[in-house]
Amino acid sequence: MNKMKIEEVAVLIGVSTQTLNRWYKFKRDHPESELAKSLPEYSFETTSHGNARVWDTESIWSLINFKSKIQVGRNGRMGKYGGRGTNGEKKIRSRKTNDT
């Protein structure tokens, strides 16, 4: 069975490594969620630089299926886990008003 690192997996399913990290943060934060349960488990492989997360080839299909289930955009189910500058925090965007 072929093992792939996060960079290879991200390219195959068409997302960034940061997106994969956010998905697994969602899984850690909401372990009871059916959506989170559909994410496949990864294993660790020891390299000269430490431990690297690796996925097997069967996990790729589970990740593609997960990607098709989630709602994209900042208002999606995982909206608070994405977006530049959110640092994992939910932010409310307000409009500027001119009081002049």
Side-chain angles (χ1 to χ4, degrees), residues 7-24:
E7 295 86 4
E8 299 167 313
V9 172
V11 168
L12 280 175
I13 64 172
V15 298
S16 67
T17 56
Q18 189 174 19
T19 296
L20 278 174
N21 288 329
R22 288 178 179 145
W23 289 354
Y24 281 94

Side-chain angles (χ1 to χ4, degrees), residues 23-24 26-27 34-41 62-63 66:
W23 289 354
Y24 281 94
F26 174 79
K27 183 174 182 159
E34 287 301 317
L35 187 61
K37 290 177 184 176
S38 67
L39 274 172
E41 294 295 326
S62 298
L63 287 168
F66 178 83

Side-chain angles (χ1 to χ4, degrees), residues 10-79:
V11 168
L12 280 175
I13 64 172
V15 298
S16 67
T17 56
Q18 189 174 19
T19 296
L20 278 174
N21 288 329
R22 288 178 179 145
W23 289 354
Y24 281 94
K25 179 175 177 13
F26 174 79
K27 183 174 182 159
R28 286 190 307 272
D29 291 349
H30 301 89
E32 71 287 343
S33 167
E34 287 301 317
L35 187 61
K37 290 177 184 176
S38 67
L39 274 172
E41 294 295 326
Y42 52 82
S43 57
F44 288 98
E45 184 177 271
T46 303
T47 66
S48 60
H49 299 288
N51 290 333
R53 291 179 292 171
V54 292
W55 287 261
D56 57 17
T57 51
E58 288 133 16
S59 298
I60 301 302
W61 294 109
S62 298
L63 287 168
I64 290 170
N65 186 31
F66 178 83
K67 181 182 172 185
S68 69
K69 286 181 183 179
I70 60 173
Q71 181 182 355
V72 296
R74 69 181 177 98
N75 294 323
R77 172 175 228 155
M78 298 174 61

